[in-house]
Amino acid sequence: MSDLLLLIICCAVLGSGVGFLAGLLGIGGGLVIVPVLSSILLYFAVLPPEQVIVAAIATSLASILFTSTSSAIAHHKNGNVPWELAPWIMTGVALGALISGFLAAMLPEQIVRWVFAISVVLIALKMFFGNNKPTSDERTMPNKGVLTGFTTLTGGLSAMIGIGGGALLVPLLTFFSIDMKKAIGCASACGIVIALFGSVGYITSGSAQFALADGFAGFVYLPALLGIVCTSWFTAPLGAKATHHLPVPTIKKIFAGLLVVVAANMMIA
């Protein structure tokens, strides 16, 4: 068996697990894809160690483009995307993701690694201690310009660490008293925008360093993308169905603990 075929199979296994967890826990697959794919790329010596993390983030974003589309279509059919706000939010995350895609490619690898690790720890803590109970405080939605500014920062950080943005956008929208279901639906739609514009940034900034003939579209490694997407697209709905049968709050706490371990490992690597 060739190394390339084995790499694609490893990524397909990764995609099946990521898709299931995304459907079960409502998380962005990038939290898992980035550290695991980094290890896979290192093992198969696809590219130098100092470029692995950026390639993993770029490939993660490209894969999220497919899974977010599937999720957003489902939320739209259920009427859970607040289209009166979504265009302003999408504008912000698109701008932030595009800038971040160029910026992350220029930053030292260790800085990108630390940004990812610290962000994962904060998301894990929110997942472990947070809850989905509605708050009794009613907060007024800021004007659309301010909202776009907030989401520009959210989209930028999401693209920099290779996630779809739900872990950051949902708390922001619910803070301003947006219904939880509509916040998740809006985050799903925005995940498409973050993944698309973030990927454009990574592809453009990496096009001078990597060639399509070597399996790269900029920093996106296409064989890994193929492996992840071919399974995650199908396992995400299975994870969503499993929420009715598995103790999701307990699983979230266990998963949050695993994320902290992953982040710590990236910090000391």
Side-chain angles (χ1 to χ4, degrees), residues 1-254:
M1 183 181 296
S2 69
D3 284 350
L4 181 59
L5 180 57
L6 185 57
L7 182 146
I8 293 174
I9 292 173
C10 289
C11 290
V13 174
L14 169 62
S16 64
V18 164
F20 186 81
L21 285 173
L24 179 68
L25 304 179
I27 59 161
L31 295 174
V32 178
I33 293 174
V34 173
V36 177
L37 182 57
S38 294
S39 298
I40 292 174
L41 295 178
L42 278 174
Y43 179 81
F44 287 98
V46 173
L47 68 177
E50 63 272 13
Q51 294 177 319
V52 161
I53 185 69
V54 175
I57 289 172
T59 306
S60 171
L61 277 177
S63 71
I64 289 170
L65 178 60
F66 294 89
T67 52
S68 288
T69 299
S70 176
S71 177
I73 290 172
H75 283 293
H76 171 69
K77 288 180 178 178
N78 292 327
N80 287 333
V81 181
W83 289 113
E84 69 279 5
L85 292 175
W88 297 92
I89 298 172
M90 287 180 171
T91 299
V93 298
L95 180 60
L98 185 60
I99 294 172
S100 180
F102 286 100
L103 181 62
M106 295 186 293
L107 291 174
E109 182 266 349
Q110 193 60 37
I111 292 179
V112 177
R113 183 182 292 272
W114 273 79
V115 169
F116 177 85
I118 292 171
S119 300
V120 168
V121 169
L122 294 177
I123 292 170
L125 291 175
K126 173 67 173 64
M127 188 181 296
F128 190 88
F129 295 107
N131 59 66
N132 295 330
K133 294 179 180 178
T135 176
S136 59
D137 298 328
E138 289 291 327
R139 298 184 181 89
T140 304
M141 179 67 66
N143 67 60
K144 293 180 173 63
V146 174
L147 181 61
T148 299
F150 278 134
T151 54
T152 297
L153 296 174
T154 302
L157 180 57
S158 298
M160 181 169 284
I161 63 177
I163 66 175
L168 303 177
L169 269 175
V170 172
L172 174 65
L173 296 178
T174 53
F175 177 82
F176 291 116
S177 304
I178 298 294
D179 176 74
M180 176 63 73
K181 289 183 179 180
K182 291 188 178 296
I184 293 173
C186 188
S188 296
C190 288
I192 301 172
V193 179
I194 292 172
L196 175 61
F197 282 83
S199 295
V200 167
Y202 281 107
I203 290 171
T204 304
S205 60
S207 59
Q209 301 185 44
F210 298 100
L212 188 61
D214 297 323
F216 285 89
F219 283 110
V220 176
Y221 189 50
L222 297 177
L225 175 63
L226 172 65
I228 293 169
V229 171
C230 75
T231 53
S232 64
W233 180 275
F234 300 102
T235 57
L238 298 178
K241 291 181 180 179
T243 58
H244 302 291
H245 308 287
L246 297 175
V248 176
T250 301
I251 295 173
K252 274 192 174 184
K253 288 180 169 55
I254 296 172

